[in-house]
Amino acid sequence: MSASPPVSPPSNPLQPAPESAFDNPSRAGPRGPLSGVRVLDLSAYIAGPYGCTLLADQGADVIKVEPPAGDNLRAYPSTLEGENRAFLGVNRSKRGIVLDLKQDADRARLHALAVEADVLVHNFRPGVAERLGIDHPRLEAANPRLIYCVVTGYGEEGPLRGKAGYDQVLQAMTGMCVLQGKPPVPELTYGSPVDYYAAALVAAGVSSALFERERSGAGQYVGVSLLRSALTMQSARMIQAEGEAHDISRDMRSGGITGLHPTGDGYLYLSANTPHFWKALCELTGLHDLADNPRYASVRNRADHAAELVPALRAALRVRSAIEWERLFGDAVPCSAVRHIEDMFEDPQVQAENMVASIAHPKIGHYRGVTRPIKFSRTPGPDPFAAPMLGEHDADIAPR
């Protein structure tokens, strides 16, 4: 199949692109770098949906397409009355429609939307898209410019390609639980880090494909998997030299000084890996005799002597609270008192960076949530709006 001719760049690159028929008329605020791009989000849970939210933050008109029962994330437990906190956080700034893709009429509607869309994202298991008639070859034939992004558990090939993959399953599979825990007990990392890293790869991959399309005029398939995400997150450990033993230390532990420590009140995380920070830590905690001792001159030396250093440090830290140590260390020692996520809503640095927005919602009133995670000087992007109610925009969205 021949590609469409390359798209010529605008004569003045500083002029905004023409308004698209797909621009969301309900969005307020400045344009973003992806304004005019339409994204069909058929994915569920976190990785695909939040990747699409990152595109929406940059101005894309994201249409969340849900089955009649809704995204499974809507049904997860939540302390928020009448809504699901995770769904709101993962799906901000999208419009939403309901399509039953087992029905001919709804499949036809999706096809019509896909013909005019720029991006389609889904996380169906292998074979599902083909059965529904929305696989890449069919949609590519109808819309050669379509960026078709698929989020899988394990990738497109191999013995596990058809297996369902979830964040914590991949944590267990790829060694993250072993590294997080203390032998012999493994530990999960809560907060879905594999999913959120995969979401960042979705946004990056789609954006790169859109950039390349401006040169070639053609869309392409973009594959993101949780397995790739989990291993990419561990690139600093995923190194094995020729001849190395299978079970060796992966080098990333810094010996106990850098880490969480109890104080007189609360816990404190501190980092003192450089000579400058190590010296400042010793001076400010009164451990002056440790600062110039050659036995502790490097991170590796301090790791070798952690059994004697850590008790001395923790004894010194007990004389003040974590907050007091944080203030005393200031810029001299990288550190933070351990806080709750709720503390971030009023945190002065978060406020100064305008990272939290008040968002109106038809059921729960206003809520506060994250906004604009990336700064763009000229095209900062429109204001965020609430994740859609199930089928909220059914009457508003139609192909041209």
Side-chain angles (χ1 to χ4, degrees):
M1 181 175 63
S2 60
S4 302
V7 176
S8 299
S11 57
N12 182 355
L14 294 181
Q15 289 295 320
E19 293 291 335
S20 166
F22 285 148
D23 271 348
N24 183 348
S26 67
R27 300 210 70 173
R31 290 174 63 83
L34 295 180
S35 288
V37 170
R38 171 170 272 195
V39 178
L40 299 178
D41 175 15
L42 281 70
S43 59
Y45 292 109
I46 294 176
Y50 199 68
C52 293
T53 289
L54 294 173
L55 300 174
D57 287 335
Q58 298 175 62
D61 179 19
V62 179
I63 310 303
K64 186 168 182 67
V65 181
E66 298 181 72
D71 185 328
N72 289 331
L73 198 59
R74 290 186 184 272
Y76 271 50
S78 176
T79 55
L80 190 63
E81 187 67 29
E83 257 296 354
N84 181 278
R85 194 183 311 276
F87 184 85
L88 292 180
V90 169
N91 290 284
R92 67 176 174 271
S93 301
K94 300 177 184 180
R95 296 189 285 173
I97 61 175
V98 169
L99 294 178
D100 183 353
L101 297 181
K102 297 177 182 178
Q103 304 299 319
D104 291 343
D106 281 2
R107 282 201 306 274
R109 185 181 177 193
L110 178 64
H111 270 269
L113 290 170
V115 165
E116 298 178 344
D118 297 288
V119 179
L120 184 144
V121 178
H122 74 71
N123 63 345
F124 298 132
R125 289 168 69 174
V128 173
E130 287 80 2
R131 290 197 301 272
L132 295 174
I134 58 171
D135 52 286
H136 179 233
R138 269 185 267 199
L139 293 186
E140 181 184 41
N143 179 2
R145 289 176 55 81
L146 182 68
I147 308 301
Y148 188 96
C149 180
V150 179
V151 183
T152 61
Y154 300 90
E156 294 79 6
E157 309 295 337
L160 299 182
R161 66 180 296 270
K163 185 178 178 181
Y166 295 94
D167 179 288
Q168 294 174 358
V169 175
L170 271 298
Q171 286 190 44
M173 175 185 177
T174 62
M176 294 176 71
C177 293
V178 173
L179 290 165
Q180 182 67 18
K182 294 181 179 178
V185 181
E187 289 283 347
L188 289 167
T189 300
Y190 287 93
S192 304
V194 176
D195 277 340
Y196 279 102
Y197 194 80
L201 295 178
V202 167
V206 166
S207 296
S208 294
L210 286 169
F211 176 80
E212 193 280 335
R213 190 183 72 175
E214 292 304 301
R215 296 179 169 182
S216 68
Q220 62 181 300
Y221 178 96
V222 176
V224 173
S225 76
L226 299 187
L227 176 59
R228 292 192 193 102
S229 173
L231 294 181
T232 301
M233 290 174 67
Q234 301 182 84
S235 292
R237 293 187 175 97
M238 193 71 178
I239 298 293
Q240 187 175 50
E242 185 177 1
E244 272 193 318
H246 174 74
D247 186 13
I248 59 169
S249 169
R250 288 288 155 197
D251 301 334
M252 290 297 292
R253 301 288 185 185
S254 52
I257 296 298
T258 292
L260 287 168
H261 298 281
T263 68
D265 182 14
Y267 279 79
L268 180 78
Y269 179 87
L270 58 85
S271 176
N273 289 332
T274 69
H276 171 76
F277 292 141
W278 167 243
K279 182 176 178 63
L281 174 65
C282 293
E283 291 175 349
L284 291 170
T285 54
L287 301 173
H288 303 284
D289 57 328
L290 302 182
D292 298 318
N293 190 322
R295 283 162 50 85
Y296 315 133
S298 69
V299 175
R300 181 168 294 182
N301 294 149
R302 294 192 286 275
D304 291 340
H305 297 93
E308 58 198 68
L309 287 175
V310 172
L313 174 63
R314 291 185 172 180
L317 292 175
R318 288 192 189 101
V319 303
R320 290 184 173 86
S321 70
I323 293 293
E324 289 170 333
W325 281 116
E326 182 184 81
R327 292 170 182 159
L328 178 63
F329 288 150
D331 295 333
V333 180
C335 69
S336 177
V338 173
R339 293 174 169 82
H340 295 278
I341 185 66
E342 293 82 3
D343 298 327
M344 292 296 96
F345 289 111
E346 305 297 339
D347 183 85
Q349 184 62 33
V350 172
Q351 292 286 326
E353 284 288 294
N354 295 315
M355 296 174 66
V356 174
S358 178
I359 300 173
H361 187 274
K363 183 180 285 188
I364 64 172
H366 282 76
Y367 68 90
R368 291 188 291 178
V370 175
T371 182
R372 294 190 178 111
I374 305 173
K375 281 194 172 183
F376 295 94
S377 64
R378 187 170 49 78
T379 56
D383 300 332
F385 62 93
M389 305 283 285
L390 185 61
E392 181 179 347
H393 303 96
D394 278 337
D396 304 333
I397 296 168
R400 289 177 292 187

